[in-house]
Amino acid sequence: MTSTPTRPAVPVPAARVRRAASARAALPASLPSFLSFRNIGAVYVWLVIAVLFSVWAPETFPTTTTVKQILNGNAVAGLVALSVVPPLAARVFDLSVAYTMSLTSVLTAYFLVSTGLGPAAAIALAMTAALLIGVVNGIVVVGLRVDSFIATLATGALIQSVITMVTDDSSITGVRLLAEPFASIAQLDAGGITLPVLYLLLAATAIWFLLEHTATGRRLYATGFNADAARLQGVRTDRLRFLTLVSSALLSGFAGIVFASSVGSGSPTAGTPYLLSAYAAAFVGATQLRAGRFNAWGTVLAVLLLGTGVTGLGLATSAQWAASLFTGSVLIVALVLTGGRIALPAVLRRRRGNPSPDGSEAPATPAAGSAPRKEDRS
């Protein structure tokens, strides 16, 4: 009986063993990290708010009707909030989004009711106006080097004057705004969920893919973190900022058209209530999922959190000031918590600094991974 020769064992490289071991160790650790309060704290706050209002208004809040109301009622707010995410990622403020939304709302209604144009032509002209606003913002901010906060606020004032000329501060109404096919843009639904919810998901997916999975997104974040360093690396920071302002105007303009379709009129103040909630959602969203970075899904999560609170307050109490109080409070608390996670360790390090021989405190040691100062490198 002959024995089968055995093949000698081939040694596995030590580097491969270490990589496999580290990968196995990272797998179970990734889930607790993802579920941590620091990463998705808004989800836990959202659940607490839902439980609170379920107890406060048990007959009206914990129903499928309320869920649909939150989704449908906050889709436009989500579109406006997403419109400011790309500019903020590049450290640019666009305060004209609310005015752009109002302008496209009234222009679409005006062209449909007063000129007799079809829905496609009216929407095209309104979106052309939004594109023009984005280009003007880009020229003023990027070309003329005017601070984006002041420049877009001034642009918003100019847009408001155009809105007043067109509407005389009165809403534009008409039968054509309530008829098909224009009404179906926002009022067509499937199972009680309207089309604007789909628009919100598509916009969030597009922005998420752009920021997280493209070189352009990485350059946007680099521009926002340190524009000078990004420029030295060959990033065209001015072009990126210009394009973010154009995209912001287009998305907020589209939100205005959706709003006009949903309410059946063109309102000169359509976008005004959405400005605070848009920036509140964007900043709260920057504390979630990608902490420290403005991101799409964190913003959508924040929109739903704010929408749940506002809807719950509307069902539980009739106070007119409750919604604004809730939105402002959530924004302040989110910023305080985020700033506390970053600033508190630095404060403690400074307070625990080693005393120098003359009795004064020595400077704190820089945190690990932080960039050295210029005097440290020289």
Side-chain angles (χ1 to χ4, degrees), residues 60-72 192-193 311 315:
T60 55
F61 185 82
T63 62
T64 55
T65 302
T66 302
V67 173
K68 295 175 183 178
Q69 180 182 349
I70 292 172
L71 292 175
N72 296 332
I193 304 298
T311 302
L315 295 174

Side-chain angles (χ1 to χ4, degrees), residues 33-374:
S33 176
F34 176 78
L35 297 177
S36 66
F37 185 86
R38 181 172 184 173
N39 191 49
I40 56 170
V43 174
Y44 301 119
V45 175
W46 188 14
L47 293 175
V48 170
I49 291 174
V51 172
L52 175 63
F53 285 116
S54 296
V55 175
W56 192 354
E59 297 181 356
T60 55
F61 185 82
T63 62
T64 55
T65 302
T66 302
V67 173
K68 295 175 183 178
Q69 180 182 349
I70 292 172
L71 292 175
N72 296 332
N74 291 280
V76 173
L79 290 173
V80 181
L82 287 174
S83 72
V84 304
V85 170
L88 286 175
R91 197 176 291 182
V92 176
F93 282 89
D94 186 0
L95 298 183
S96 66
V97 291
Y99 303 98
T100 304
M101 175 182 171
S102 299
L103 180 64
T104 55
S105 170
V106 299
L107 285 181
T108 304
Y110 175 79
F111 289 133
L112 280 173
V113 175
S114 301
T115 66
L117 291 176
I123 292 172
L125 289 174
M127 291 301 294
T128 302
L131 175 62
L132 179 62
I133 293 171
V135 171
V136 170
N137 281 337
I139 292 174
V140 174
V141 173
V142 178
L144 302 181
R145 302 295 178 183
V146 180
D147 181 81
S148 62
F149 194 95
I150 302 300
T152 55
L153 191 61
T155 305
L158 296 176
I159 297 171
Q160 187 60 50
S161 66
V162 175
I163 294 172
T164 303
M165 285 190 295
V166 173
T167 65
D168 198 20
D169 286 333
S170 300
S171 296
I172 300 176
T173 58
V175 177
R176 297 192 66 187
L177 295 172
L178 303 173
E180 301 291 343
F182 182 74
S184 62
I185 293 175
Q187 299 179 22
L188 189 66
D189 69 279
I193 304 298
T194 56
L195 275 181
V197 178
L198 177 61
Y199 305 150
L200 175 63
L201 295 177
L202 291 176
T205 302
I207 295 174
W208 164 78
F209 184 81
L210 170 70
L211 293 179
E212 302 294 338
H213 296 282
T214 66
T216 301
R218 292 190 292 272
R219 290 167 185 151
L220 274 175
Y221 281 134
T223 301
F225 286 136
N226 192 327
D228 293 333
R231 194 179 299 111
L232 291 175
Q233 293 295 323
V235 177
R236 298 181 179 179
T237 57
D238 287 345
R239 184 174 69 174
L240 287 175
R241 286 175 168 171
F242 189 98
L243 292 176
T244 59
L245 289 168
V246 172
S247 66
S248 175
L250 289 174
L251 187 53
S252 59
F254 177 70
I257 295 172
V258 175
F259 179 85
S261 175
S262 63
V263 301
S265 67
S267 172
T269 59
T272 304
Y274 292 100
L275 185 60
L276 174 61
S277 62
Y279 275 92
F283 275 93
V284 173
T287 69
Q288 305 299 305
L289 304 179
R290 301 281 289 173
R293 294 187 178 187
F294 294 97
N295 63 89
W297 293 116
T299 302
V300 172
L301 176 61
V303 167
L304 295 177
L305 185 154
L306 294 171
T308 301
V310 171
T311 302
L313 287 172
L315 295 174
T317 178
S318 58
Q320 297 293 326
W321 45 264
S324 297
L325 176 65
F326 176 80
T327 302
S329 300
V330 169
L331 176 58
I332 292 174
V333 170
L335 294 179
V336 168
L337 290 177
T338 307
R341 290 200 302 264
I342 297 172
L344 185 57
V347 172
L348 294 179
R349 283 195 299 270
R350 287 196 296 268
R351 290 182 179 178
R352 292 198 300 261
N354 296 327
S356 60
D358 60 357
S360 61
E361 275 194 353
T365 303
S370 60
R373 296 174 297 177
K374 291 182 179 179

